[in-house]
Amino acid sequence: MKPPSLRPLRADQHFASLHRWLAMEGEAERERLAQRRRTQSSATAERTGETLLDLVIRSHSTGLGGRYLITMAKRRSPDRMPWHRFKVGSPVVLSDQSDGDGESCQGVVSARRNDSLEVAVDDWPSGDRFRLDLSPDEVTRKRQASALQVAENASGRLGQLRDLLLGDREPAFRSSVKLAMPLSERLNESQHNAIRHALAASDLAIIHGPPGTGKTTTVVEVIRQMVARGERVLACAPSNTAVDNLLERLLACGESAVRLGHPARVSEELRQHTLDGLAEQHEVMDLVRRMMREAEQIERKADRYTRSRPAPGQRWQQRQEARELRRQARLLERQATSDILGDARIVCATTTFDDSVLDDLRFDVLVIDEACQSVEPGCWVPLRRADKVILAGDHLQLPPTILSDAAAKEGFAVSLMERLVRHFGDEVTRQLTVQYRMHENIMAFSSQRFYENTLVADESVRRHVLSDLPTVTKNGTDDTPVLFIDTAGTGWLEELEPDGESKLNPQEGQLVLRQVYGLCDAGLSPQDIAVIAPYAAQVRWLRQNATTSQLEIDTVDGFQGREKEAVVISLVRSNLIGEIGFLADARRMNVALTRARRKLIIVGDSATLASDPFFQDLLCWLEENACYRSAWEFPE
């Protein structure tokens, strides 16, 4: 018998909670947008990263089904955008900044660059100076709510999966697995075990991938094996970036796949693999285009003014003829997409895609990569389409982003994968153990604190250091993999951002930038360096004061799944009462500490940090295993 905390969940209570949390999250998101739009001052509106002000249109083009692709940049500082949270695929509202009551355009971010954003909109926006706001994604929330309702009342295979995912059934596994093709020799034993485990599962399998362990590589191999044995796979991830990464890996392995979703949400290099892009190449599309042109000509003829009076009903008949042509063209388009999807062995999409395009298409397997980044209702959208599910991710890194603090505290921040790992444990989970990113010293604390010392650095990275890089001079850099610079005793106290709630520490920031410039002087390119700070105010200060635009500076959340040769972390907090706020989120620090490949520099105040048990452990480890120095040793 399982412990009380691991007893099966009651379907009615669990789905009622998910519905309530979705509603709370929607309300929190709408309130944030309303608050941002009430704030017109650029000094405060942009601080959350969810609003950009004083934008101008730098250029535009047309594409993506006739939409306008508008490139927007800052009017006064066109060379670099401030720190923001806009990503490819983000829904946005574009409006005239000078007219708070004017009409606004709904759009989607279609490209992101250091100096600009490209936005896809259906209508040309009016105005000269614009503001851009992240928009509540009500469409996604409605899809999630609908999926929950379907799952709660489901019978058949979905009903069986629901009972399993609520802990009311036990997962089943075949005793042996026959591979459709040999496993790649490039993969390690833990990856082989995870792949065999996933292939043996009848209902559910989980691949736990700590930082740098080749999780997505393993997921791609699982998909390839399933396709080779004749199965159809729906491959999903919570974000467009993660889906594009998965699709890129599959294409690189020689697999063909169809990418669902708004083309503007897909990276430009992959748009030819979208359903829209593939449909454009279908044999019927020439006929569709001719029919649409003919319909347009007939409508123009019907609207044209002539001296002679048309016969009674002639214009009505012409418009009816045009409508019928368009209807027939849309039917042919639908046939083209049905043909493409019917032939596809792999379909890639975000977890909250519009599945109406699939008609009654079903899949043998649903694979969700980065599953811990999705709230549970998001996973139920694609679950309706599959007979089996494989989840991959790391529940010991960042959880889903939740805006409603109340919903998060009640349990909304617990992903489906995290809940299932807690419930079934090793029965369904296989962890990857060999990491290919970090020097073994950079990896060591994370392995000890989060992964029970199970991680092993591959020989290719185990001892690699900065001076191994061809551009770095051996005498110009310290090859110690981990350096902690202690600011205790300097008096560099944190500050509250004026008119804001975020923290910054300018004096610590200056030391951080000096460390970056030292790395650059040794021959490391700024593009190979990241600066990570947990507070948006510190990120903004660092960006404003950095002398190179090539240096990437962002919050911890912005670096999930990323890596750089060298990483400098600014911990910011320094006060007299030992208050560290959300810095105490150990999972967030796990992400920050595992982004560096060859060099990790941590800057912080040990006197403040030591008030927290996690940082006590980290500081003790740093004293024993890293280079531990005082900020006094780094004069200006």
Side-chain angles (χ1 to χ4, degrees):
M1 183 176 176
K2 292 183 177 177
S5 61
L6 299 183
R7 286 176 181 163
L9 299 171
R10 279 187 52 180
D12 56 346
Q13 293 177 349
H14 183 64
F15 283 103
S17 295
L18 292 177
H19 277 291
R20 185 175 71 256
W21 297 335
L22 268 181
M24 293 164 70
E25 183 71 357
E27 181 57 35
E29 198 170 8
R30 287 187 292 274
E31 175 54 34
R32 276 177 70 126
L33 176 62
Q35 177 62 36
R36 292 201 311 272
R37 295 190 66 80
R38 286 194 295 267
T39 306
Q40 295 296 322
S41 166
S42 60
T44 54
E46 293 186 335
R47 284 182 179 159
T48 63
E50 297 170 355
T51 294
L52 288 170
L53 299 177
D54 201 27
L55 298 173
V56 294
I57 296 175
R58 178 185 289 175
S59 62
H60 76 278
S61 61
T62 55
L64 308 176
R67 301 176 183 89
Y68 295 105
L69 300 178
I70 299 174
T71 299
M72 315 203 73
K74 278 285 192 174
R75 181 171 64 95
R76 294 185 183 274
S77 51
D79 296 334
R80 188 169 188 182
M81 297 288 273
W83 172 79
H84 59 79
R85 301 182 189 274
F86 293 85
K87 299 177 181 178
V88 172
S90 297
V92 294
V93 177
L94 179 63
S95 53
D96 182 353
Q97 186 170 320
S98 61
D99 184 3
D101 298 322
E103 292 185 3
S104 57
C105 296
Q106 297 285 334
V108 173
V109 175
S110 51
R112 170 178 169 151
R113 305 177 186 93
N114 286 338
D115 61 348
S116 62
L117 280 177
E118 183 185 83
V119 180
V121 293
D122 291 326
D123 302 304
W124 186 261
S126 59
D128 298 315
R129 294 169 54 215
F130 300 93
R131 69 176 289 152
L132 196 66
D133 293 281
L134 281 177
S135 170
D137 198 349
E138 298 294 349
V139 172
T140 291
R141 223 170 338 264
K142 287 177 181 177
R143 289 174 187 164
Q144 292 174 335
S146 174
L148 292 177
Q149 193 164 4
V150 170
E152 184 178 2
N153 300 305
S155 57
R157 184 54 179 158
L158 179 57
Q160 293 173 348
L161 281 177
R162 176 202 59 217
D163 295 343
L164 171 70
L165 299 180
L166 296 183
D168 205 27
R169 288 179 62 240
E170 292 297 316
F173 294 86
R174 291 184 289 277
S175 57
S176 62
V177 177
K178 186 175 181 180
L179 298 173
M181 58 183 178
L183 290 173
S184 171
E185 294 181 0
R186 296 181 297 104
L187 303 178
N188 62 61
E189 185 179 353
S190 70
Q191 290 173 312
H192 283 187
N193 290 339
I195 292 165
R196 291 179 181 275
H197 177 69
L199 295 175
S202 300
D203 318 278
L204 167 69
I206 294 176
I207 299 173
H208 177 200
T213 54
K215 169 185 56 62
T216 302
T217 300
T218 307
V219 168
V220 166
E221 185 65 19
V222 169
I223 294 172
R224 294 183 68 224
Q225 289 285 338
M226 290 173 169
V227 170
R229 67 186 193 184
E231 294 177 294
R232 188 195 295 269
V233 180
L234 176 58
C236 293
S239 70
N240 285 284
T241 301
V243 178
D244 286 350
N245 180 41
L246 195 55
L247 176 56
E248 277 184 321
R249 302 283 193 93
L250 287 164
L251 295 172
C253 291
E255 299 293 336
S256 60
V258 178
R259 172 72 155 93
L260 301 186
H262 192 311
R265 299 176 189 262
V266 181
S267 68
E268 195 169 347
E269 299 78 16
L270 297 174
R271 285 176 187 164
Q272 60 182 312
H273 300 282
T274 62
L275 183 58
D276 292 43
L278 292 168
E280 282 296 314
Q281 307 303 318
H282 194 277
E283 58 187 9
V284 304
M285 291 307 292
D286 283 341
L287 176 58
V288 168
R289 284 186 280 268
R290 286 200 301 272
M291 292 171 73
M292 295 297 271
R293 282 196 300 268
E294 186 178 346
E296 188 176 347
Q297 290 169 357
I298 293 171
E299 282 196 330
R300 280 205 299 265
K301 185 177 179 181
D303 292 335
R304 191 178 302 141
Y305 176 81
T306 60
R307 291 180 181 274
S308 58
R309 183 186 297 274
Q314 182 180 342
R315 287 181 173 173
W316 178 86
Q317 192 170 14
Q318 287 173 326
R319 292 192 178 101
Q320 286 295 103
E321 185 181 349
R323 289 193 191 97
E324 178 61 18
L325 270 171
R326 283 202 167 90
R327 189 184 73 82
Q328 293 290 342
R330 282 193 290 269
L331 285 175
L332 285 173
E333 278 184 318
R334 188 73 175 180
Q335 183 58 52
T337 59
S338 295
D339 290 347
I340 293 165
L341 290 170
D343 292 337
R345 306 311 301 171
I346 306 171
V347 173
C348 298
T350 58
T351 49
T352 52
F353 70 102
D354 177 10
D355 73 344
S356 64
V357 70
L358 296 178
D359 291 328
D360 57 354
L361 198 63
R362 287 194 60 81
F363 296 83
D364 300 289
V365 186
L366 164 66
V367 177
I368 303 181
D369 195 14
E370 304 295 357
C372 295
Q373 294 288 291
S374 172
V375 292
E376 183 171 330
C379 294
W380 286 100
V381 175
L383 270 165
R384 296 179 293 183
R385 294 283 179 173
D387 295 329
K388 165 180 164 178
V389 59
I390 297 169
L391 304 176
D394 184 5
H395 55 288
L396 301 175
Q397 294 188 63
L398 288 175
T401 300
I402 307 295
L403 297 181
S404 169
D405 291 337
K409 288 175 183 175
E410 287 185 23
F412 199 35
V414 178
S415 67
L416 175 64
M417 177 175 156
E418 181 180 356
R419 182 168 64 74
L420 294 173
V421 169
R422 288 180 187 174
H423 187 90
F424 291 117
D426 293 343
E427 186 179 358
V428 300
T429 307
R430 291 296 181 272
Q431 183 195 314
L432 306 180
T433 58
V434 181
Q435 69 85 16
Y436 299 89
R437 174 185 299 159
M438 297 163 274
H439 187 288
E440 62 180 357
N441 286 19
I442 298 175
M443 172 201 77
F445 177 75
S446 180
S447 178
Q448 172 187 307
R449 182 64 170 73
F450 296 96
Y451 306 106
E452 300 178 344
N453 273 326
T454 55
L455 298 188
V456 177
D458 184 72
E459 194 61 35
S460 63
V461 302
R462 190 169 69 89
R463 293 286 185 183
H464 68 178
V465 290
L466 287 180
S467 64
D468 293 336
L469 296 171
T471 61
V472 177
T473 58
K474 289 187 180 295
N475 296 329
T477 184
D478 174 9
D479 272 337
T480 306
V482 183
L483 167 64
F484 177 68
I485 303 178
D486 193 352
T487 66
T490 60
W492 298 350
L493 298 180
E494 68 197 47
E495 302 173 8
L496 186 65
E497 192 174 35
D499 302 317
E501 299 178 358
S502 188
K503 303 286 194 303
L504 71 158
N505 193 322
Q507 290 166 301
E508 180 179 293
Q510 290 170 357
L511 175 57
V512 165
L513 291 178
R514 290 201 299 276
Q515 292 299 307
V516 170
Y517 302 146
L519 293 170
C520 293
D521 290 342
L524 193 62
S525 168
Q527 294 175 318
D528 291 326
I529 306 170
V531 177
I532 299 177
Y535 289 90
Q538 186 78 342
V539 170
R540 280 188 286 273
W541 187 94
L542 288 163
R543 280 175 163 237
Q544 290 164 3
N545 288 275
T547 58
T548 172
S549 61
Q550 294 178 306
L551 176 65
E552 194 165 358
I553 306 169
D554 211 334
T555 59
V556 181
D557 302 57
F559 275 99
Q560 172 94 342
R562 310 272 310 287
E563 62 182 54
K564 293 282 187 177
E565 297 293 351
V567 170
V568 186
I569 302 174
S570 174
L571 294 176
V572 179
R573 301 307 299 263
S574 179
N575 52 68
L576 302 178
I577 58 174
E579 172 61 50
I580 67 168
F582 76 87
L583 202 61
D585 183 346
R587 289 189 292 185
R588 179 168 269 102
M589 283 309 302
N590 186 28
V591 173
L593 293 170
T594 55
R595 300 305 99 194
R597 288 174 49 78
R598 302 169 191 263
K599 184 78 172 184
L600 173 64
I601 301 174
I602 308 167
V603 184
D605 179 356
S606 64
T608 300
L609 299 171
S611 64
D612 177 78
F614 170 81
F615 278 101
Q616 280 184 0
D617 290 346
L618 175 59
L619 291 167
C620 288
W621 184 90
L622 288 168
E623 278 196 270
E624 295 176 6
N625 301 279
C627 181
Y628 194 111
R629 299 176 67 182
S630 168
W632 294 109
E633 300 177 52
F634 298 90
E636 293 185 24

